Structure formats: structure tokens, C-alpha cells
């Protein structure tokens, strides 16, 4: 029985929402793949984390005890290899996050596995089919993995329905000699980013600004505009790197996922891949950029090349 292995993602000892989504995705194909569904929990807080992944459809929870909940890609890679060598799963599911992508390819290479990243569709039609974007998100591409005994997929967050509560899977520890892992890091401390009192992951309407805002003096104007129209102010990475807004506002692969957003107004954002990761799943995206060739228009529901400041003038008059 080949089965499925899900690698739980946790941050500083707290399970990330994407873990339940990974398990939910696994449950949808479990009966057609065959074998058990196992969840691998890695960290110092394995007991509480294990309780959090005991969801419906999970057959076994495997744990690797580490000295710290700090993420180390080499430790995760070795832990997954230990679990895969022991149980020989056919499908390994990992979150498509900064952490997940740091070790997924290494695992696939060592196993000689098929690999697909940023997967947003999963099906079994006699064989496993993974769907991901291609050509700058202009097409959805279906991939199969002929001749592969194991497949590693990183799944896009806020895409698959999370697994339901009600599981009661047994917990099995896996022994791993952490001291034998060459290059493993030693965690000193975790510093929380400065809080700004907002939670991008829970916002339903986001007005996000990018390089087109030109200078820091304009941030306050768009912050006030966001409040006026009932939106939460988001931004792309250059705005945070410039120190114009706290990191809590950043949407993207190294920021936050707009998990609950239904309307995303992108103003002066070109649409780099890292930013699109955090918002391209939103049902309605409105892009405002004077560059008609900006990648943001590839994922936008509606778009305009009007000057962002002229748009701000119009919105301020309308919502005055």
C-alpha cells in the first residue's frame, strides 16, 4: 500500500493553516491512491502539534523531535527522507511556502521522484494528475508522472478545503540523529515583526500599493483611502524593504497570504512572481498600472492603465 505522506508546516510551535489544507487535499485522493494517510510533524512541540493534525482521514501521525521549533531545511529534508524510506509513500505533499520550497526539491532529487510546485489542482484518473499555472499564469497545465514510484508536490495555500475535525490517529515517533546532519543551523531566537494591528490573512478587501506609489509621503494618503473605502492596506515587498510600511502589510511569498480576500485592488504593483503567490487566487483582482505589459494584468479580473493618483482623486471624491 503506497499511501500518502503530508509534511505538517508549523511556525514557532504553532500549526499553520496550510497544514489542514494539505491534509484535506490528501483526503480527496486517498481512496484512489490507496494505502494510509500519514502526517509528519517536526519540531520541539510535537505533542500539541500532533493533536492539531489529528484530523478526519489521517491514519497515523509520525513525529520527529528536535531541539527547537525553528525551521531548518536540512533537518526537514532528512526527516522526510527517514519517513519515506520507512513507509515508501507514493505521494508526498508539502506546502508551497518559503519553508516548503526550501526542502521539497531536495527530497524529490534524493528519491528520484516526480516533482511539481505551486499545485492548485489534484486528481487521480488512473494516474495522478497535478494542475499548476504556466506561461505567467496564462494557462493551467496538467502534469502526470509516468514511471515514477513516488511524487513530491508543493500545494498552493488557500486553495484546498481543510480537513474536518474528528480524527484519532495514533502517534509514532521516528528516531533521527540530528547531530549527524551536516550544515544544520543552530537557532538563537525568533524576533516577531513589528505589529501594526492588522491581519492581512483575514481581510476580505485589500487595497495594496507597490513601487508606483513613488515615495513614502504618499503612503499616508493611500492608507487613509483604504480606510475610507473599507479596505485593509497591503503592499508589495519593495515598500517594506524601503521601510515605508511594517512587514505585517506585505502580501506575497515572503509576506502574508491573502487567504480570506474576496476583492484585491492592486495599485502601482507590477506583479512579480513572489507577490502573485500571495494574491493570485483571489476571486476578483483589480489591477491599476500604467504599464500595459505588467505581469499583474495576467491574473487580474479587471485592469486599467489610468494613473493611480488620478484614480485616488476620483475615489476620494466619490467616498467623501
Amino acid at each position: 500500500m503506497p499511501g500518502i505522506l503530508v509534511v505538517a508546516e508549523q511556525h514557532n510551535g504553532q500549526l499553520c493553516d496550510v497544514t489542514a489544507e494539505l491534509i484535506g487535499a490528501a483526503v480527496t485522493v486517498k481512496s484512489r491512491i490507496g494505502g494510509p494517510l500519514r502526517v509528519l510533524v517536526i519540531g520541539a512541540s510535537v505533542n500539541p502539534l500532533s493533536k492539531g493534525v489529528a484530523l478526519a482521514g489521517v491514519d497515523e501521525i509520525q513525529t520527529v523531535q528536535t531541539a527547537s521549533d525553528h525551521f531548518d531545511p536540512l533537518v526537514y529534508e532528512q526527516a522526510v527522507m527517514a519517513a519515506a524510506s520507512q513507509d515508501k509513500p507514493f505521494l508526498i505533499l508539502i506546502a508551497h511556502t518559503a519553508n516548503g520550497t526550501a526542502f521539497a526539491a531536495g527530497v524529490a532529487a534524493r528519491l528520484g521522484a516526480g516533482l511539481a510546485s505551486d499545485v492548485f489542482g489534484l486528481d487521480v484518473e488512473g494516474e495522478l494528475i497535478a494542475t499548476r499555472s504556466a506561461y505567467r499564469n496564462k494557462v493551467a497545465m496538467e502534469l502526470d508522472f509516468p514511471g515514477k514510484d513516488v511524487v513530491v508536490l508543493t500545494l498552493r495555500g488557500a486553495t484546498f478545503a481543510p480537513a474536518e475535525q474528528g480524527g484519532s490517529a495514533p502517534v509514532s515517533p521516528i528516531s533521527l540523529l540530528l547531530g549527524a546532519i551536516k550544515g544544520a543551523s543552530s537557532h538563537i531566537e525568533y524576533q516577531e515583526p513589528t505589529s501594526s494591528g492588522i491581519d492581512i490573512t483575514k481581510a476580505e478587501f485589500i487595497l495594496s500599493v507597490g513601487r508606483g506609489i513613488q515615495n513614502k509621503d504618499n503612503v499616508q494618503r493611500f492608507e487613509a483611502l483604504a480606510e475610507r473605502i473599507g479596505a485593509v492596506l497591503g503592499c508589495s515587498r519593495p515598500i517594506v524593504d524601503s521601510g515605508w510600511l511594517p512587514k505585517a502589510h506585505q502580501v506575497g511569498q515572503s509576506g502574508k497570504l491573502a487567504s480570506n480576500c474576496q476583492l484585491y485592488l492592486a495599485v502601482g504593483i507590477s506583479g512579480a512572481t513572489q507577490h502573485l503567490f500571495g494574491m493570485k487566487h483571489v476571486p476578483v483582482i483589480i489591477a491599476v498600472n500604467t504599464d500595459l505589459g505588467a505581469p499583474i494584468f495576467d491574473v487580474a479580473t479587471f485592469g486599467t492603465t489610468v494613473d493611480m493618483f488620478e484614480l485616488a482623486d476620483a475615489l476620494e471624491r466619490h467616498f467623501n
Side-chain angles (χ1 to χ4, degrees):
M1 295 188 297
I4 304 172
L5 177 65
V6 169
V7 183
E9 175 145 335
Q10 55 97 353
H11 175 70
N12 204 26
Q14 299 293 319
L15 277 176
C16 300
D17 291 343
V18 71
T19 297
E21 297 165 14
L22 292 172
I23 297 172
V27 169
T28 64
V29 296
K30 175 184 173 182
S31 63
R32 288 170 287 171
I33 287 178
L37 166 52
R38 298 182 174 93
V39 179
L40 178 61
V41 174
I42 306 165
S45 312
V46 291
N47 290 333
L49 290 172
S50 295
K51 293 178 182 178
V53 300
L55 302 175
V58 177
D59 297 301
E60 183 183 359
I61 299 167
Q62 299 176 322
T63 62
V64 171
Q65 182 81 44
T66 61
S68 167
D69 285 317
H70 173 65
F71 172 76
D72 186 320
L74 296 179
V75 171
Y76 268 66
E77 180 181 318
Q78 195 61 33
V80 176
M81 288 300 301
S85 299
Q86 173 180 296
D87 300 308
K88 303 291 190 284
F90 167 67
L91 178 61
I92 300 176
L93 298 181
I94 299 169
H96 188 73
T97 59
N99 285 2
T101 55
F103 68 91
V107 169
R110 291 176 66 180
L111 291 174
L115 172 66
S117 62
D118 196 18
V119 171
F120 59 80
L122 193 58
D123 200 2
V124 177
E125 299 175 1
E127 58 187 353
L128 180 69
I129 305 294
T131 306
R132 69 182 307 276
S133 296
Y135 297 102
R136 293 172 64 181
N137 302 299
K138 292 180 180 178
V139 300
M141 179 170 60
E142 293 185 344
L143 303 174
D144 61 3
F145 308 90
K148 293 298 183 181
D149 296 326
V150 59
V151 175
V152 177
L153 303 178
T154 64
L155 302 191
R156 183 184 298 180
T159 302
F160 297 89
E164 298 179 356
Q165 299 291 328
S168 57
V171 178
S172 305
I174 294 177
S175 179
L176 186 65
L177 296 176
L178 299 177
I181 302 176
K182 294 182 179 180
S185 62
S186 176
H187 178 60
I188 298 175
E189 65 173 336
Y190 181 81
Q191 297 183 353
E192 291 283 355
T194 304
S195 174
S196 60
I198 70 162
D199 189 348
I200 287 291
T201 64
K202 291 182 172 58
E204 295 185 358
F205 178 19
I206 298 174
L207 187 164
S208 213
V209 295
R211 295 177 187 272
I213 201 170
Q214 296 180 4
N215 59 67
K216 185 177 181 179
D217 294 338
N218 290 319
V219 172
Q220 187 175 0
R221 178 184 183 184
F222 282 91
E223 191 169 22
L225 177 60
E227 183 176 358
R228 185 174 298 183
I229 64 178
V232 170
L233 183 66
C235 68
S236 59
R237 180 171 177 171
I239 302 300
V240 172
D241 288 348
S242 298
W244 297 353
L245 278 172
K247 192 171 179 63
H249 290 265
Q250 184 185 336
V251 177
Q253 191 163 15
S254 58
K256 297 291 185 180
L257 191 70
S259 307
N260 201 44
C261 188
Q262 301 301 306
L263 175 59
Y264 193 88
L265 177 55
V267 180
I269 293 176
S270 62
T273 301
Q274 292 82 355
H275 185 77
L276 295 182
F277 170 83
M279 45 67 69
K280 60 186 176 183
H281 61 277
V282 176
V284 180
I285 300 170
I286 302 174
V288 182
N289 195 303
T290 54
D291 179 10
L292 188 58
I296 191 70
F297 289 120
D298 294 336
V299 300
T301 313
F302 305 100
T304 177
T305 55
V306 69
D307 182 84
M308 61 185 290
F309 298 106
E310 292 179 6
L311 176 65
D313 290 337
L315 288 174
E316 287 165 352
R317 289 193 300 269
H318 183 78
F319 289 94
N320 188 2

